[in-house]
Amino acid sequence: MEYINFREQFEATLQSGDKQRLCEFLDNQNISDVAELIDDYPDNEVLIISSLSIHRAASVFKILESSNQKRIIKNLSPQKTAALLNELPPDDRTDFFEELPSNAVRELIKLLNVEERKVALSLLGYPENSVGRLMTPDYIYVYENNTVAEVLETIRRKGKNSETIDVIYVINKDGELIDDIRIREFLFAPPDKTVSDIMDGRYIALNAYDDQEKANEVFKMNNRVALPVVSNSNKLLGIVTIDDILWVAEEEFSEDIQKIGGTQALDQPYLETPLLRLFRKRIGWLVILFLGEMLTATAMAYFQDEIAKAVVLALFVPLIISSGGNSGSQASTLIIQAMAVGEITILDWWRVLRREIVSGLLLGAVLGLIGFFRIVVWHSILPALYGEHWMAVALTVGFALVGVVLWGTLSGSMLPIVLKKFGADPAVSSAPFVATLVDVTGLVIYFSVAFLILKGKLL
């Protein structure tokens, strides 16, 4: 109800044609509410951004979807675009530039003032998906010989333009990071005390060339709102704040989910992805999976003599391969998620294998018993359905299910670890990929068990 009233107020203000009134109305709203207005009134998004004070316009712009950002910049006046880009925090501006073609980035960088241009070019010089692309140079640093009074004065002078003042960074005369100290330590310390008296030498830093996923792991393991970023020689270059890491985590999660589903990661919202691009993202995996499933037909052809002699075996093929695929998909999803949140690493492969052997045997035993008793029950109702060797068929299905489910579980759990070992993304061992692999091998297991149990009876 509150948002409905808010929209009504916006529409009334808009219809009044009073630009000053519109500016005052928008500047008095929450940033998130203004962002929702832009989503709900795309035809007025440029007007909304233009009506905001430049500081608030930048705050709204940085939380918008990249598609909205691109449209706004495309239609915004050059003067407003320049002001907006110069006002954006360097890390958010870099995120936006990463979404644009290189020729567009070159033109937009020309609109930046000299200082901001240097910062932008510096951040864009780091590899894509590196911590260097996330960092901001807006932070407060002091020297170890400064007094607490001098530190507080530095905070008063520079704090307004800093990304955060929760942590103050200590550097030496060579610009090397030597400590980070929470601001509360300075607030409770005597004014004449020096920084060196407060330092403990314990700090956590990220390297500018670290992968952004590593930064995500470090933030999760440490209770920090920001972390310093250093060069290979330990020079303090900037800081990364928790809000940027949350965006990274969300993007990584979305990308992994899409890969687990058997498609390439989309680089923009689904409804805004061009149909041809969506086709290209999906067709590759579908072709690979289709070719993989063709191996299932090859395996069936290899065992056609056995199937011809014991047609009853064909009745249980869907049951066997689906059980193996499902167990493999379960295992791969669990392992990929555990690796993503840092619960397991490559070094834990043996522990994972031992657990999955037990899990696979237990899961297979349950499904095997269900499959066995299903045949027993149906035989009691329709004695002619499975023939005189119905018990052998029941044992074949039961033992085959144990083997196939065990194999599916082991394949699904080990494949992500193997891919990680060779530097590939574990998410590509998606549920459909594992299911296809287990389908083929599951048939081999099924008919091998059938040959051992039914030899001399039906085979």
Side-chain angles (χ1 to χ4, degrees), residues 289-452:
L289 295 175
F290 179 74
L291 293 174
E293 289 293 353
M294 288 176 66
L295 295 174
T296 304
T298 303
M300 290 283 288
Y302 182 80
F303 291 106
Q304 62 181 331
D305 291 341
E306 285 76 8
I307 295 175
K309 294 175 184 177
V311 178
V312 68
L313 293 177
L315 299 176
F316 299 99
V317 167
L319 175 71
I320 296 294
I321 63 177
S322 64
S323 297
N326 290 339
S327 64
S329 299
Q330 275 189 344
S332 67
T333 302
L334 288 172
I335 297 303
I336 290 169
Q337 189 272 340
M339 293 178 75
V341 300
E343 292 176 356
I344 62 173
T345 65
I346 298 174
L347 299 177
D348 296 316
W349 71 271
W350 177 239
R351 293 177 60 195
V352 173
L353 182 63
R354 285 185 301 175
R355 291 173 64 88
E356 290 304 316
I357 288 174
V358 177
S359 296
L361 287 172
L362 291 174
L363 294 170
V366 171
L367 296 187
L369 285 172
I370 293 174
F372 175 84
F373 284 112
R374 187 263 190 199
I375 294 175
V376 172
V377 171
W378 276 94
H379 174 73
S380 65
I381 298 173
L382 300 170
L385 183 60
Y386 301 120
E388 60 177 315
H389 299 293
W390 62 272
M391 179 57 72
V393 172
L395 290 172
T396 297
V397 171
F399 283 114
L401 279 170
V402 174
V404 169
V405 170
L406 174 60
W407 170 245
T409 301
L410 294 179
S411 300
S413 60
M414 289 295 105
L415 192 57
I417 295 176
V418 171
L419 288 173
K420 184 73 171 179
K421 172 67 176 177
F422 288 100
D425 188 346
V428 301
S429 63
S430 56
F433 185 75
V434 171
T436 303
L437 172 66
V438 176
D439 283 355
V440 180
T441 51
L443 283 175
V444 176
I445 293 172
Y446 176 42
F447 286 110
S448 297
V449 172
F451 183 78
L452 292 174

Side-chain angles (χ1 to χ4, degrees), residues 259-281:
K259 287 180 179 178
I260 288 172
T263 181
Q264 293 182 35
L266 302 180
D267 47 15
Q268 60 189 116
Y270 170 80
L271 292 176
E272 296 174 11
T273 303
L275 192 57
L276 189 58
R277 183 179 298 174
L278 192 62
F279 165 78
R280 289 199 301 267
K281 293 283 187 181

Side-chain angles (χ1 to χ4, degrees), residues 171-276:
I171 62 174
N172 59 23
K173 57 183 176 58
D174 296 320
E176 297 170 341
L177 179 67
I178 55 178
D179 208 351
D180 60 356
I181 303 174
R182 295 179 185 272
I183 191 173
R184 61 179 295 171
E185 301 295 331
F186 295 110
L187 295 177
F188 294 121
D192 57 345
K193 200 170 188 177
T194 63
V195 173
S196 59
D197 295 330
I198 301 174
M199 289 169 48
D200 58 13
R202 295 196 303 268
Y203 64 89
I204 301 164
L206 300 167
N207 188 285
Y209 291 93
D210 284 342
D211 189 270
Q212 293 176 2
E213 286 191 46
K214 179 179 179 181
N216 185 23
E217 293 299 321
V218 175
F219 266 93
K220 282 193 294 188
M221 297 298 292
N222 300 276
N223 184 25
R224 296 297 180 96
V225 296
L227 283 174
V229 181
V230 298
S231 66
N232 291 332
S233 58
N234 202 42
K235 296 287 195 304
L236 181 59
L237 301 174
I239 64 171
V240 172
T241 52
I242 187 65
D243 58 322
D244 296 314
I245 294 301
L246 290 175
W247 281 104
V248 169
E250 182 182 355
E251 289 176 358
E252 293 292 341
F253 175 76
S254 298
E255 183 178 317
D256 285 348
I257 289 298
Q258 289 163 3
K259 287 180 179 178
I260 288 172
T263 181
Q264 293 182 35
L266 302 180
D267 47 15
Q268 60 189 116
Y270 170 80
L271 292 176
E272 296 174 11
T273 303
L275 192 57
L276 189 58

